[in-house]
Amino acid sequence: MAFALPVWLAVQEELLGHGDADFGTSSCFDDFDDEALFQMFHLTRSCIAFITDAVRIRMWTVTQDKPTSPVDVMVMVALNYYAHGASSVAVLQRLGSSLAESSPTIIGTISGVIAGMADQFISFPLTRDAKASVASRIKKVCGIPDVLGVLAPAHFKIRASPYEKNTFRSFVNTLGYTSIVSQIICDSDGNILSLEKCCVGSTFEQEMWDTSFRGREIEKELHGPYWVIGGKGYHLSKHVLTPVSEPENDSETRFNEAHAKIQDVMRTTLGSLKRRFRCLMQLGFAQETSLDKKSNIIKACCVLHNIAKKFSVPPPPAAGKIEPLHPGKQHSASEKIDPEALTARQKLISDNFTLVSSSQDPSGNNVTEEDRG
């Protein structure tokens, strides 16, 4: 579950209980049939209705900003931009010239409002039962126990001016293109559990983890004896579980295969996110000193991703090859590894990925090698 049921019900109650005349009335989305609606916004009618009402409530009760246009029209402009990276002709025709000219401002406003909902719709498991539930589902997928999520850097392409040489280089990531990067944790179902940071593309994922709110919490053991799955760009720690760089036996190989399997969930999640919200495939020009607007768009799309999953809205079909997870900075062989973390990982591998051979005793009962010892 991307966000707790009580939060969901509280939002629904607030929406239903608000007495404003705009709630539940016709909207500009009614002009589209269901197929056209999905093509234009990559969302379903019921999902869009919930998003529109949630935005309306937040603008009334939190931001207290007086909408410059009808809320449903502003949401239409933003959702269309998120879905395609530009406003469609069909949407621009409905806006009129004055509103069309102000669409960048509208997108910025709605992005800020939806990004402000992140605490409601992007939630890390905090209670004992929630943690156990997430860990149980992850173990069913890959066999690795006590894991609270998959950790990875999420890179989003931007344009940076090559004439500003120092700034341009800071945006170039490990795959050689200019990007900004955020830190994401997801669960085994592809729900986004945590989103932090908006940094230039050259930022190392370990640096983001060390300075992130969630990273400090987890490494200080505020969430208990759990792991998050991290790729080769992270240091092995007592709470970040990385693959074995050079497996020496079958157990370590099986562990690496399980690790890759659950990491693939993150690759699929980011692929789904970018297919539904194609604006994330190219976020336009960015400057190192002003990434707030880009950050709001990324956060808004992640909020909408979780809402779409709650409504079981499938993403559009893949148009091409899904981008791989970024390999990150490769650590040198001489780099010091935390011996306690290494011991903990070896114990996990031994307890969960070692096959125990068995045979039968004279009575026909299975006897393992451990029983013989």
Side-chain angles (χ1 to χ4, degrees):
M1 183 180 295
F3 38 89
L5 183 61
V7 171
W8 178 265
L9 294 176
V11 172
Q12 288 281 26
E13 183 179 356
E14 179 69 20
L15 295 177
L16 294 171
H18 207 287
D20 193 276
D22 285 345
F23 178 73
T25 61
S26 60
S27 79
C28 57
F29 294 102
D30 295 338
D31 296 337
F32 299 94
D33 61 31
D34 290 348
E35 183 179 354
L37 204 67
F38 188 81
Q39 290 177 351
M40 295 289 291
F41 309 104
H42 298 163
L43 298 166
T44 59
R45 191 174 304 279
S46 58
C47 185
I48 290 172
F50 179 85
I51 293 165
T52 302
D53 289 325
V55 168
R56 182 177 290 117
I57 288 295
R58 185 167 182 84
M59 293 183 79
W60 285 332
T61 61
V62 179
T63 65
Q64 297 182 345
D65 292 334
K66 185 177 180 180
T68 56
S69 304
V71 173
D72 60 324
V73 173
M74 296 177 72
V75 171
M76 173 182 281
V77 172
L79 293 186
N80 184 234
Y81 166 75
Y82 300 150
H84 298 282
S87 296
S88 303
V89 174
V91 169
L92 292 176
Q93 288 176 340
R94 283 169 170 76
L95 295 179
S97 58
S98 59
L99 276 179
E101 291 175 1
S102 62
S103 60
T105 301
I106 291 173
I107 293 165
T109 298
I110 296 300
S111 295
V113 172
I114 298 176
M117 301 180 194
D119 288 345
Q120 287 179 294
F121 296 107
I122 299 176
S123 60
F124 199 74
L126 298 177
T127 67
R128 180 183 300 177
D129 288 347
K131 292 174 186 178
S133 177
V134 170
S136 175
R137 293 200 301 273
I138 288 176
K139 186 176 181 181
K140 286 181 180 178
V141 171
C142 66
I144 304 176
D146 303 324
V147 173
L148 286 183
V150 185
L151 168 70
H155 284 262
F156 306 99
K157 291 181 180 179
I158 56 94
R159 293 187 177 95
S161 174
Y163 298 106
E164 300 175 7
K165 293 184 179 180
N166 293 332
T167 300
F168 180 82
R169 283 196 292 268
S170 72
F171 282 105
V172 179
N173 62 32
T174 52
L175 291 184
Y177 63 81
T178 51
S179 69
I180 53 179
V181 58
S182 295
Q183 175 180 286
I184 286 183
I185 300 175
C186 76
D187 66 11
S188 58
D189 297 316
N191 297 302
I192 295 173
L193 304 178
S194 176
L195 171 71
E196 290 188 70
K197 302 286 187 176
C198 183
C199 307
V200 294
S202 63
T203 307
F204 295 134
E205 46 263 59
Q206 184 64 44
E207 178 185 340
M208 287 195 293
W209 175 249
D210 290 339
T211 58
S212 70
F213 175 78
R214 195 66 64 202
R216 291 194 296 265
E217 270 191 345
I218 291 175
E219 295 293 1
K220 289 180 180 178
E221 301 195 343
L222 298 183
H223 290 279
Y226 287 97
W227 304 88
V228 291
I229 296 291
K232 294 180 180 179
Y234 295 96
H235 300 298
L236 173 67
S237 75
K238 288 189 290 184
H239 296 284
V240 177
L241 188 59
T242 61
V244 178
S245 58
E246 296 180 0
E248 297 179 351
N249 52 55
D250 290 343
S251 297
E252 292 181 350
T253 298
R254 281 189 289 272
F255 166 74
N256 276 5
E257 289 170 351
H259 190 282
K261 185 174 183 180
I262 192 62
Q263 266 201 307
D264 197 53
V265 172
M266 175 61 84
R267 183 184 67 85
T268 302
T269 298
L270 294 180
S272 173
L273 178 71
K274 292 179 180 181
R275 291 206 311 277
R276 190 187 305 280
F277 305 114
R278 290 176 184 161
C279 67
L280 299 177
M281 300 293 285
Q282 178 50 259
L283 281 168
F285 279 95
Q287 294 180 330
E288 190 171 350
T289 55
S290 58
L291 295 179
D292 288 349
K293 290 182 179 180
K294 307 300 183 187
S295 176
N296 277 347
I297 291 173
I298 293 167
K299 189 174 290 186
C301 289
C302 289
V303 167
L304 296 176
H305 167 88
N306 279 358
I307 293 176
K309 287 189 69 65
K310 190 72 175 179
F311 278 86
S312 301
V313 185
K321 187 177 180 180
I322 297 177
E323 181 181 317
L325 289 180
H326 284 251
K329 177 187 177 183
Q330 301 300 301
H331 306 307
S332 65
S334 61
E335 196 157 5
K336 186 177 179 181
I337 300 177
D338 181 350
E340 288 187 34
L342 192 59
T343 299
R345 184 176 68 182
Q346 285 304 121
K347 185 177 187 306
L348 183 149
I349 293 172
S350 176
D351 291 347
N352 296 274
F353 295 94
T354 300
L355 295 181
V356 180
S357 62
S358 65
S359 59
Q360 291 188 333
D361 65 11
S363 302
N365 297 316
N366 286 331
V367 179
T368 67
E369 294 294 335
E370 292 176 341
D371 291 331
R372 289 197 184 93

